[in-house]
Amino acid sequence: MTIETISEARAHGGTQGVYRHNSAATGTPMTFSLYLPPQAEHGPVPLVWYLSGLTCTHANVTDKGEYRAACAELGLAFIAPDTSPRGDDVPDDPDGAWDFGLGAGFYVDATQAPFDRNYRMWSYVTEELPALIAKRFPVDMARQAITGHSMGGHGALTVALRHPDRFKSVSAFAPIVAPGQVPWGEKALGGYLGTDRAAWRRHDAAALIEDGARLPELLVDQGDADNFLKEQLRPELLRAACDAAGIPLTLRMQPGYDHSYYFIATFMADHLRWHAERLR
């Protein structure tokens, strides 16, 4: 598969790249960013996946995430895929809402028309893109970690819970932990997967844990001034599921922080150091 280089720039001794390729999973061109630290010049390095939230592309964390200095220090590659397929022919929310359709793929493979034609983000981030990265870039696929924000935190948790042998560590920033119980998730999972709520459980972190999925431990940061906290994010549901399952959860409620990239950037280096310790 051909990868087009959109841009490459030197940063903290490494290389920040943005790339595009034609995706078999989504049937559209897909863009992702990848930072390779200076250590990658001497051999494969561990890889941290970052899944972005609603309305975002790869560019949000690439421009605002402030991860490169820590990645260069720790010798970590950092990849950020897009959040949905793109293109004039890709179906969108019929009412033009921002929380469904373009920029809101929710990391599922849609089964409902017309979205099932392109919205196959689960296959893209768990199968197609990892295979492409492994072939093209100097990363060590035996040492992977995953994190994400909001909708991307939901994606990171569900991907890790369903691939427990793939990731050495998992974290999230303000994740949607139980989409089957909040408005964002009910709209997205219903629109992409249909009305059978049993089918939603494979894309709901709290439900996956209730159904037997396990991880060694989790790190979650959540701002207590986040305006989505009570209605959409509900970290207490993840706490209850982890407590019942015996999964060690470090849930840090950060006073005064909201849902923005100022919050993410503040704690990004903490997360990367936490991942680096587990990727050694």
Side-chain angles (χ1 to χ4, degrees):
M1 183 180 293
T2 301
I3 298 178
E4 174 190 358
T5 300
I6 297 175
S7 66
E8 288 184 337
R10 200 73 171 159
H12 294 278
T15 300
Q16 177 63 66
V18 178
Y19 307 95
R20 181 189 294 121
H21 69 105
N22 291 322
S23 168
T26 67
T28 66
M30 294 295 290
T31 302
F32 64 91
S33 74
L34 176 68
Y35 177 72
L36 291 173
Q39 294 87 339
E41 296 178 4
H42 307 290
V45 294
L47 177 63
V48 177
W49 291 82
Y50 178 91
L51 303 185
S52 295
L54 288 164
T55 75
C56 292
T57 70
H58 71 281
N60 296 77
V61 71
T62 306
D63 294 344
K64 303 175 184 178
E66 299 184 20
Y67 55 84
R68 280 171 286 267
C71 283
E73 172 193 340
L74 299 166
L76 301 175
F78 188 100
I79 185 168
D82 202 347
T83 54
S84 79
R86 308 275 175 178
D88 293 338
D89 297 330
V90 175
D92 197 3
D93 186 285
D95 299 320
W98 57 270
D99 57 357
F100 186 79
L102 296 180
F106 257 80
Y107 305 101
V108 304
D109 282 352
T111 60
Q112 304 300 299
F115 304 101
D116 56 341
R117 186 177 70 247
N118 303 113
Y119 285 79
R120 298 184 54 80
M121 291 302 296
W122 180 267
S123 291
Y124 180 69
V125 300
T126 66
E127 299 174 14
E128 183 178 24
L129 188 56
L132 186 66
I133 297 302
K135 291 180 180 178
R136 172 68 169 74
F137 296 99
V139 296
D140 182 355
M141 301 301 280
R143 292 189 291 163
Q144 296 184 72
I146 191 166
T147 187
H149 171 234
S150 194
M151 178 186 73
H154 139 77
L157 294 176
T158 56
V159 167
L161 283 162
R162 289 174 57 184
H163 296 85
D165 297 329
R166 182 179 299 185
F167 300 99
K168 302 293 186 183
S169 53
V170 188
S171 74
F173 300 88
I176 305 170
V177 304
Q181 300 183 57
V182 301
W184 277 343
E186 290 178 330
K187 178 177 181 178
L189 298 183
Y192 293 133
L193 302 179
T195 58
D196 181 6
R197 286 177 173 261
W200 300 5
R201 296 185 70 83
R202 287 168 58 80
H203 294 285
D204 182 310
L208 282 165
I209 293 170
E210 290 172 3
D211 292 344
R214 295 291 182 266
L215 290 170
E217 57 184 329
L218 291 172
L219 169 64
V220 173
D221 272 306
Q222 171 66 62
D224 70 2
D226 190 322
N227 58 324
F228 301 116
L229 175 59
K230 292 183 179 179
E231 184 180 25
Q232 305 285 9
L233 306 178
R234 303 192 63 188
E236 72 276 5
L237 297 177
L238 181 64
R239 166 66 75 190
C242 287
D243 285 350
I247 297 174
L249 168 64
T250 301
L251 174 58
R252 307 191 303 188
M253 297 300 298
Q254 302 292 359
Y257 284 90
D258 60 15
H259 201 66
S260 72
Y261 266 87
Y262 297 114
F263 158 65
I264 298 166
T266 299
F267 300 103
M268 178 65 83
D270 283 357
H271 281 239
L272 292 171
R273 292 190 179 95
W274 189 83
H275 289 296
E277 290 177 1
R278 288 150 181 82
L279 289 166
R280 287 173 182 159

